[in-house]
């Protein structure tokens, strides 16, 4: 074979080989892109599924709360009312010396009735929805103050904005859970709740000044995880900061400008 | 531009790749890819020593007709290059079947090299085409293994930000692209006109080292 002939043959084979490699790389890229797309879709589906589960859980919880609320209002409330009426009927027949005890008992029953009505209101999603977030929080804070061992304050800063009712309930439930935990475990004597409305966010801060907890040892209790997943559902950032003997601070950052209603 | 001028691009592209690789060494110094940088510097060293040797008749051999040969340096370089690069793939791949194959490749490459230099070719006077062709094929298959593993992985891997992906492309283009050249050169290496063909080799080498350089810059820090 002639030299130039060989040169051409080698040139053509080399070009073919290089072209083949380029084709392989292109095919590889296409497949890889498809795979990544598929993986993303899979992840999205999973996320949507998890969201649905949380939503269903929330709905069940609200339903349960509503039932308890009705039960408290219609059943226990009615019984207490009847008890009070009967006490009143007893009033004229009681000797003077025991009258004060009777009056005290009547007052205790009245207070119980009031507590149960407040509790019933705060548990019932319908009434919370009608009251709005601020009033519901105020009611809860008042209830705490009536317990006489904790001094709770509630402050609103900035101009109030009407929120989505469903989101309001979720925010309120998260706050409620935090407050009842504080009440149970923190041994705090002081509790502050602040709502701050800014242009883009509603920031809810709740701080107790109790014994707190060590962030390292109590990292992810089911309660905290539960709160977090619920916050995530409404695009809210949840932060829980605590130091031993310094209390706990909960911060919820809820975006006011939202595209998904 | 004359052929000999163009030839100069290759060592300098090697040097560029090695320098850029050193600058971005922090991205991959904790992985097995660090050996790739070492081998890159070794290639640069070989290239410049080879050039110096040819220029000043230093550490070279002459045949009966008085022609100068510095080929042993390149032959030595390739004999070290293939096992090291194959080892990098061996360490980067998880699949045990592929690993077994790559181990076999390394073993056979070394075996072929020993047999070739002992019985077939002269280490001093001949271009190492037989081990080169074998090594290139082994390398190509290892690269394909690596690609298959990337495709099969169910993690989202941003492959085009991975250094080994670009190294693989460069290696594939040069080493597979030069297989036809290596097969032919056996018979015509000493004939003057075949020198035009070296142009293919140099262009492919230039492309390879530029791809390496790009890979060093574009890749993200390895986990």
């Amino acid at each position: 074979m002639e030299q130039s002939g060989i040169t051409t043959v080698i040139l053509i084979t080399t070009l073919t080989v290089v072209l083949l490699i380029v084709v392989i790389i292109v095919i590889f890229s296409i497949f890889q892109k498809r795979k990544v797309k598929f993986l993303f879709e899979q992840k999205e589906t999973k996320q949507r599924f998890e969201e649905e589960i949380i939503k269903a859980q929330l709905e069940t919880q609200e339903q349960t709360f509503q039932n308890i609320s009705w039960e408290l209002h219609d059943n226990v409330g009615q019984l207490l009312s009847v008890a009070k009426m009967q006490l009143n009927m007893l009033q004229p027949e009681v000797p003077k010396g025991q009258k004060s005890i009777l009056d005290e008992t009547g007052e205790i029953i009245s207070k119980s009735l009031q507590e149960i009505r407040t509790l019933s209101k705060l548990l019932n999603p319908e009434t919370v929805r009608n009251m709005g977030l601020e009033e519901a929080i105020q009611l809860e804070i008042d209830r705490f103050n009536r317990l006489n061992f904790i001094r709770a304050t509630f402050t609103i800063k900035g101009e109030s904005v009407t929120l989505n009712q469903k989101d309001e309930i979720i925010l309120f439930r998260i706050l409620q859970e935090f407050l009842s935990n504080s009440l149970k475990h923190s041994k705090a004597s002081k509790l502050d709740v602040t709502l701050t409305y800014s242009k883009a966010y509603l920031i809810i801060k709740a701080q107790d000044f109790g014994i707190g907890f060590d962030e390292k040892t109590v990292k992810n209790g089911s309660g905290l995880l539960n709160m977090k997943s619920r916050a995530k559902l409404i695009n809210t950032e949840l932060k829980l900061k605590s130091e031993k003997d310094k209390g706990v601070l909960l911060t919820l950052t809820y975006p006011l400008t939202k595209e998904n209603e | 531009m004359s052929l000999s001028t163009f030839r100069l691009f290759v060592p300098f592209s090697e040097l560029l790749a090695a320098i850029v690789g050193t600058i971005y060494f922090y991205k991959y110094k904790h992985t097995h890819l660090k050996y790739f940088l070492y081998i890159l510097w070794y290639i640069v060293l070989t290239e410049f020593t080879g050039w110096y040797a040819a220029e000043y008749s230093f550490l070279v051999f002459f045949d009966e007709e008085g022609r100068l040969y510095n080929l042993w340096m390149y032959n030595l370089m390739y004999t070290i290059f293939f096992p090291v690069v194959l080892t990098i793939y061996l360490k980067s791949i998880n699949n045990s079947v592929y690993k077994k194959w790559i181990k076999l490749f390394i073993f056979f490459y070394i075996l072929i090299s020993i047999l070739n230099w002992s019985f077939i070719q002269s280490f001093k006077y001949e271009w190492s085409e037989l081990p080169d062709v074998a090594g290139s094929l082994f390398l190509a298959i290892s690269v394909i293994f690596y690609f298959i593993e990337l495709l099969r992985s169910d993690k989202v891997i941003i492959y085009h930000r991975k250094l080994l992906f670009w190294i693989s492309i460069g290696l594939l283009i040069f080493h597979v692209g030069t297989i036809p050249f290596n097969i032919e050169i056996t018979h015509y290496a000493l004939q003057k006109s075949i020198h035009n063909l070296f142009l293919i080799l140099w262009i492919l080498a230039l492309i390879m080292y530029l791809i390496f350089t790009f890979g060093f810059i574009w890749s993200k820090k390895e986990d």
Side-chain angles (χ1 to χ4, degrees):
Chain A
M1 218 193 288
E2 255 183 74
Q3 284 305 327
S4 64
I6 297 158
T7 312
T8 324
V9 167
I10 296 178
L11 196 70
I12 290 171
T13 352
T14 309
L15 279 178
T16 319
V17 169
V18 171
L19 202 72
L20 242 137
I21 293 165
V22 172
V23 168
I24 287 177
I25 292 165
V26 168
I27 290 174
F28 171 82
S29 301
I30 293 170
F31 270 96
Q32 193 73 10
K33 256 191 202 127
R34 271 202 183 171
K35 192 193 83 182
V36 169
K37 200 178 146 210
F38 171 74
L39 284 176
F40 267 118
E41 276 171 3
Q42 209 177 26
K43 208 177 142 198
E44 238 170 51
T45 318
K46 204 182 149 204
Q47 213 167 2
R48 229 177 295 141
F49 180 68
E50 272 168 10
E51 261 180 27
E52 285 305 315
I53 286 181
I54 296 168
K55 268 187 198 161
Q57 273 176 349
L58 278 180
E59 250 164 57
T60 327
Q61 192 193 29
E62 290 304 323
Q63 192 58 48
T64 317
F65 279 171
Q66 191 160 38
N67 288 340
I68 296 171
S69 154
W70 282 336
E71 218 41 45
L72 281 176
H73 190 268
D74 298 347
N75 198 343
V76 185
Q78 282 311 314
L79 287 174
L80 282 172
S81 297
V82 171
K84 210 184 163 214
M85 261 161 57
Q86 286 188 344
L87 264 187
N88 285 342
M89 272 156 51
L90 216 65
Q91 192 100 349
E93 289 159 41
V94 172
K96 274 233 155 89
Q98 288 174 335
K99 203 147 196 166
S100 63
I101 299 175
L102 192 75
D103 283 345
E104 244 172 64
T105 317
E107 216 158 275
I108 290 170
I109 292 176
S110 292
K111 264 194 188 166
S112 310
L113 205 55
Q114 198 200 347
E115 286 304 312
I116 280 182
R117 279 191 185 137
T118 321
L119 210 58
S120 154
K121 261 191 205 169
L122 290 174
L123 281 176
N124 193 338
E126 291 284 329
T127 48
V128 172
R129 232 169 269 159
N130 290 338
M131 276 190 289
L133 182 63
E134 288 167 18
E135 204 181 320
I137 294 175
Q138 187 64 56
L139 215 59
E140 184 87 338
I141 294 290
D142 290 345
R143 191 169 72 87
F144 285 170
N145 281 329
R146 280 200 301 273
L147 296 173
N148 275 335
F149 64 81
I150 194 160
R151 215 177 70 246
T153 61
F154 177 46
T155 335
I156 301 170
K157 290 176 189 163
E159 212 167 306
S160 296
V161 178
T162 328
L163 311 180
N164 176 318
Q165 286 193 329
K166 272 185 189 165
D167 295 0
E168 250 180 346
I169 288 261
I170 292 173
L171 285 173
F172 180 64
R173 291 292 181 232
I174 293 173
L175 192 64
Q176 214 176 13
E177 186 163 340
F178 172 79
L179 293 176
S180 75
N181 277 333
S182 283
L183 216 58
K184 268 188 267 174
H185 306 297
S186 77
K187 295 175 187 158
S189 57
K190 197 165 165 278
L191 188 70
D192 291 338
V193 179
T194 328
L195 292 194
T196 313
Y197 291 93
S198 71
K199 233 177 207 157
Y201 297 102
L202 163 62
I203 297 162
I204 303 174
K205 279 191 179 176
Q207 164 116 54
D208 75 38
F209 297 90
I211 54 168
F213 59 82
D214 194 351
E215 273 180 43
K216 280 168 210 146
T217 50
V218 194
K219 197 79 202 178
N220 280 320
S222 68
L224 181 58
L225 275 182
N226 216 335
M227 275 161 116
K228 272 201 174 141
S229 59
R230 274 189 262 167
K232 208 174 139 199
L233 201 63
I234 51 171
N235 288 325
T236 300
E237 195 193 351
L238 182 145
K239 271 192 216 151
L240 202 63
K241 255 181 82 174
S242 176
E243 250 177 85
K244 205 109 186 85
D245 296 323
K246 283 198 177 153
V248 188
L249 171 68
L250 169 83
T251 316
L252 291 167
T253 313
Y254 172 78
L256 291 172
T257 43
K258 263 206 323 188
E259 61 285 356
N260 55 323
E261 272 298 291
Chain B
M1 194 180 352
S2 73
L3 269 178
S4 52
T5 332
F6 192 83
R7 202 228 171 292
L8 282 177
F9 281 118
V10 177
F12 285 103
S13 65
E14 284 166 6
L15 189 62
L16 176 74
I19 289 172
V20 173
T22 311
I23 293 171
Y24 291 103
F25 191 49
Y26 70 90
K27 284 183 185 171
Y28 58 90
K29 68 173 172 208
H30 49 287
T31 67
H32 299 288
L33 289 171
K34 66 182 171 210
Y35 298 114
F36 188 73
L37 183 74
Y38 303 158
I39 205 83
L40 214 52
W41 276 113
Y42 176 51
I43 292 172
V44 174
L45 181 80
T46 305
E47 196 78 56
F48 281 90
T49 332
W51 171 73
Y52 182 84
E55 203 75 6
Y56 298 97
S57 304
F58 167 72
L59 286 177
V60 292
F61 296 97
F62 293 94
D63 64 6
E64 296 94 52
E65 287 161 50
R67 273 189 294 243
L68 180 145
Y69 287 88
N70 60 0
L71 271 174
W72 69 270
M73 295 178 187
Y74 296 92
N75 287 340
L76 180 68
M77 190 247 303
Y78 275 115
T79 314
I80 295 171
F81 174 82
F82 280 112
V84 170
V85 172
L86 285 174
T87 309
I88 292 174
Y89 282 96
L90 178 68
K91 297 286 180 190
S92 307
I93 284 174
N94 293 320
N95 186 309
S96 56
V97 179
Y98 296 163
K99 270 178 176 297
K100 225 175 263 170
W101 276 104
I102 297 176
K103 276 181 200 159
L104 272 178
F105 291 162
I106 297 173
F107 171 74
F108 276 113
Y109 178 76
I110 294 172
L111 189 72
I112 289 170
S113 289
I114 291 172
L115 290 178
N116 183 57
W117 299 126
S118 315
F119 303 111
I120 303 168
Q121 284 188 297
S122 150
F123 197 68
K124 292 183 204 167
Y125 301 116
E126 278 177 293
W127 182 265
S128 63
E129 54 273 333
L130 186 63
D132 267 14
V133 170
S136 301
L137 281 177
F138 292 157
L139 185 62
I141 298 170
S142 304
V143 169
I144 301 284
F145 283 162
Y146 170 67
F147 279 4
I148 292 175
E149 197 168 277
L150 270 188
L151 276 179
R152 276 181 157 185
S153 147
D154 51 4
K155 275 182 272 175
V156 177
I157 295 166
I158 309 168
Y159 63 94
H160 56 82
R161 299 307 285 270
K162 284 190 92 66
L163 181 55
L164 192 54
F165 175 72
W166 291 104
I167 291 177
S168 301
I169 290 181
L171 290 175
L172 264 191
I173 287 181
F174 180 76
H175 288 282
V176 182
T178 51
I179 288 176
F181 175 87
N182 274 326
I183 292 172
E184 275 307 307
I185 199 93
T186 321
H187 311 291
Y188 301 99
L190 297 175
Q191 289 168 9
K192 203 73 177 151
S193 67
I194 216 81
H195 262 70
N196 292 327
L197 272 178
F198 275 99
L199 192 61
I200 302 172
L201 194 76
W202 297 334
I203 291 174
L204 290 179
L206 194 65
I207 293 173
M208 171 171 74
Y209 289 114
L210 290 180
I211 289 175
F212 289 167
T213 309
F214 176 76
F216 283 128
I217 297 170
W218 180 247
S219 65
K220 285 205 164 153
K221 198 166 186 289
E222 299 284 322
D223 315 311

